[in-house]
Amino acid sequence: LTKCCRNHKSIGSLIRINRTMALRLVTSRVAAAASSRSLAVAVRSTNVATKAAAATSSPSFSVSRFQSLQQPASYLSTDASANLDAVPPPAEKVVLPPMVYIAGEEMTHYTSNLLVDQWIKPYFDISAWEYYDLSCTARDESDDKVLHDAVAAGARVGAIFKEPTITPTATQVEEMGLSKSFGSPNGAMRRGWNGITISRDTIHIEGVELGYKNPVLFERHAVGGEYGAGWNEVGAGTLLTTYIPDDGSPPFVVDKRDLTDDHNVAVVYHNPYDNVTDLAHHFFKRCLDGNVTPYIVTKKTVFKWQEGFWATMKDIFDKEYKPEFEKAGLLERSGGELQHLISDAATMQLIRWTDGGFGMAAHNYDGDMLTDQIAQVHRSPGFITSNLVGKADDGRIIKEFEASHGTVTDLWLHHLAGKE
């Protein structure tokens, strides 16, 4: 339901059709989760509720943005409340388990406020939630301390819901009056929560025809690659990339190249592979649970350094999972083996395999691009989940739930102009 909130009338229509089902679903799932502080159970059981959760903030940062926590909000344009039959609040609210709520900006922030005021607050006690405001203004006012606090809280609590946020461009820095340009908070979160994978799956709604007929699962390696790159503009000269081992052994040159152009951009990044084992287990278990055929996607024919990703996934599959997939008949479409797809071929198959029933795992950047394509085939990024899975130092699983889309700026501008 949250994914349909881009259009206010869609909210009203959905509520008119499904209000009883929706309220029962939210109530039953959250009530079930309230009895357990286990991260996996709490996040899974409260997924529907947290997807529709409130936009709120740490009291230290921009409290005025979240007055809806204390009093009913007034909204410019929505017919949602008019179409929701009065449901008397319970005698005693269901107490929700601890969660870190990270607030963002623009239309998704606005609709999150709508949902929490009308669907969450009347029925649930959210006093155990911790709120952090990651709007550009709050990050600027705190010199990004709010981001560090949010990451620390997420690591401690282990369950996080995040609204889409803005990573300001140079133009937006000027327009917003910011002191500097702030980087994407997502990278800091993935590093701080030892991100293993970003799970992105198709959402299916009974009676609604979308792009894929059956579920499509995707695991995107959550760290490394271009997103953590160091770079600089350089002129003609020699570029050396040198590795200095921690164990005291002699350093050596990883790459040396002569630059002859007067204008170059030098980029250095790496792919950490220690957690690919965790990613493999997570991926294959989910494929078995979802009854889908697994595929591994790389560009290892050209990018030779990606061979290790495929080798680790294949080794774990053959040793620990292949018999189960064979028994379930899930390898028939892939020739009886775990199949590797070159990323170019994967883009073609995503368009052709509209029956769904498959899962893919890929590196960080490839995963980002391919899941965008899945979203388009499946009609909208609003019908794709996006869940970060990480691991705390003590082995606890950390899960963060977010939208796979941005702040929906175009509708926010329409809203500011007073349009429906």
Side-chain angles (χ1 to χ4, degrees), residues 94-110:
V94 175
V95 178
L96 296 188
M99 185 181 77
V100 172
Y101 192 103
I102 296 175
E105 304 203 53
E106 299 189 327
M107 201 66 198
T108 45
H109 175 66
Y110 172 84

Side-chain angles (χ1 to χ4, degrees), residues 42 83 115 148 167 207 231 235 257 263 285 291 330 338 355:
N83 294 311
L115 291 164
H148 298 291
T167 302
W231 65 277
R257 62 189 59 222
H263 187 192
K285 287 175 182 176
N291 202 39
L330 295 174
L338 176 66
D355 279 345

Side-chain angles (χ1 to χ4, degrees), residues 24-69:
R24 286 177 179 174
L25 184 61
V26 172
T27 303
S28 63
R29 291 197 177 185
V30 177
S35 63
S36 172
R37 297 184 62 169
S38 165
L39 170 63
V41 175
V43 175
R44 187 177 297 111
S45 300
T46 60
N47 192 15
V48 173
T50 52
K51 284 285 185 180
T56 52
S57 173
S58 168
S60 301
F61 305 101
S62 301
V63 175
S64 61
R65 299 178 70 238
F66 304 102
Q67 289 304 313
S68 61
L69 286 177

Side-chain angles (χ1 to χ4, degrees), residues 200-202 211-212 216-218 346 350-351 358-360 367-381 383-384:
R200 289 185 171 170
D201 304 344
T202 53
Y212 292 103
V216 174
L217 313 183
F218 206 105
L350 289 177
I351 297 172
F358 62 89
M360 292 184 179
D368 196 3
M369 297 299 102
L370 292 171
T371 51
D372 282 347
Q373 185 179 356
I374 289 172
Q376 293 310 310
V377 174
H378 204 52
R379 301 290 184 262
S380 167
F383 293 114
I384 302 292

